[in-house]
Amino acid sequence: MIAPSLAAGLAFWLFSYPGKASLSEDQSKMALRGKLKLAQARQFSVLVETTIVQAYEFSSKHSRGTVLLVHGWTSEASHMMALVGPLLECGFNVVCFDLPAHGKSTGRVTNLVECAMALQAVASLLSNIRGIVAHSFGGPVTALALAGLPAGNMGFDVDKIALIACPNEAAYVTQTFVHALGLSPPAQSQFDTAFEELCDCPLSEFTGSRYFSRINRPLLVLHSEDDCEIPYEHGLNYRSLPQCQFVSFEDMGHRSILCAPQVSNCVARFMDS
């Protein structure tokens, strides 16, 4: 039997290794179209500690400010490209980037805190950030970055936030992962402790609704009822926030929701209003 500390350490390494997403044929075609569109952007890089973060900017002819796009775990900036056109048409510049250990950014493993620091670093180079659009894991990344975490880091302000298929409870993500690995209860406890120390927050208190309530900016939450990765209930939980507008979709799953025109148009209208 593997000692709980060793099992927890190995599990946390696996938890920090994004690998590659398993995409359907349609999603692969979407990703390819995204890469072609991304090639049209102005590219720049940001050094975040020892990681080189690759970023991309699309400029509007009549800029009203910038909207940042934050992709999810095992994803990359190219997967967010369906959102770019409608936002440009509304007069926004659009900036997206590859999280550490994703896409063209360097690194093999990463974590929530490093990704939040990457978002903070990209944002520090921009002015007049009007909004953020985050998908999946990008939601908690955005929450930490705007809140100025990890401790001592500078947060930043935006006018509006849109969350697409984002988790609400960090405990759901960690518990799903450790259960899939079959960790023993002692190893699970040590895994949870490592996560809490990393994020400097008890798992029970690490919820998107708690963070975005404190950030207190207009919030658009979009979720598909058939999402098999992040259950629909996570999106519903954000409805308790008075500043939240919740929009439900059907038959879009967790990743295909990103390429649906009605989703990108909904996000653009929200940012434009």
Side-chain angles (χ1 to χ4, degrees):
M1 180 179 293
I2 301 177
S5 59
L6 179 58
L10 290 172
F12 205 78
W13 188 91
L14 289 172
F15 189 67
S16 305
Y17 178 69
K20 295 294 182 182
S22 178
L23 302 177
S24 68
E25 183 177 350
D26 287 344
Q27 291 167 352
S28 295
K29 291 179 180 178
M30 176 192 74
L32 178 59
R33 290 195 297 269
K35 288 181 184 295
L36 293 174
K37 186 173 184 65
L38 204 59
Q40 303 170 18
R42 179 183 77 86
Q43 299 190 20
F44 62 100
S45 59
V46 186
L47 181 64
V48 184
E49 295 190 335
T50 60
T51 300
I52 299 174
V53 172
Q54 183 63 48
Y56 313 85
E57 181 178 28
F58 296 88
S59 296
S60 173
K61 292 181 180 178
H62 307 288
S63 176
R64 300 168 52 196
T66 297
V67 174
L68 266 164
L69 308 182
V70 188
H71 69 76
W73 191 253
T74 73
S75 185
E76 56 185 79
S78 63
H79 294 182
M80 306 287 285
M81 289 301 97
L83 295 158
V84 173
L87 288 169
L88 288 175
E89 290 176 5
C90 290
F92 297 109
N93 295 340
V94 181
V95 171
C96 51
F97 65 101
D98 294 322
L99 292 172
H102 291 75
K104 292 185 177 181
S105 293
T106 62
R108 190 180 181 196
V109 295
T110 189
N111 57 54
L112 181 57
V113 169
E114 288 181 354
C115 291
M117 292 171 63
L119 174 52
Q120 290 166 343
V122 172
S124 71
L125 301 179
L126 307 174
S127 60
N128 194 19
I129 302 175
R130 299 292 301 277
I132 290 186
V133 186
H135 175 244
S136 192
F137 174 73
V141 168
T142 298
L144 286 189
L146 291 176
L149 297 172
N153 280 29
M154 292 295 294
F156 60 98
D157 194 19
V158 297
D159 292 343
K160 298 180 179 180
I161 304 160
L163 304 179
I164 304 173
C166 291
N168 184 45
E169 300 173 3
Y172 168 82
V173 178
T174 59
Q175 289 170 8
T176 300
F177 181 79
V178 298
H179 288 167
L181 291 181
L183 291 186
S184 67
Q188 289 184 36
S189 178
Q190 293 193 36
F191 179 96
D192 288 347
T193 297
F195 183 89
E196 291 176 336
E197 290 177 349
L198 171 69
C199 298
D200 193 27
C201 180
L203 266 174
S204 60
E205 296 181 14
F206 198 128
T207 66
S209 52
R210 174 175 175 266
Y211 277 99
F212 288 112
S213 174
R214 293 181 175 181
I215 293 166
N216 194 26
R217 289 292 180 271
L219 182 67
L220 173 68
V221 176
L222 306 97
H223 219 109
S224 182
E225 294 182 9
D226 66 332
D227 193 325
C228 294
E229 293 189 38
I230 303 298
Y232 182 67
E233 289 73 20
H234 283 249
L236 291 175
N237 286 337
Y238 286 102
R239 294 191 304 177
S240 62
L241 302 181
Q243 75 269 30
C244 176
Q245 174 187 347
F246 179 76
V247 182
S248 177
F249 294 94
E250 297 179 356
D251 303 323
M252 292 187 185
H254 185 68
R255 295 182 185 273
S256 295
I257 193 171
L258 283 175
C259 59
Q262 55 266 53
V263 171
S264 54
N265 290 332
C266 183
V267 169
R269 286 195 301 269
F270 172 72
M271 293 294 172
D272 189 40
S273 63

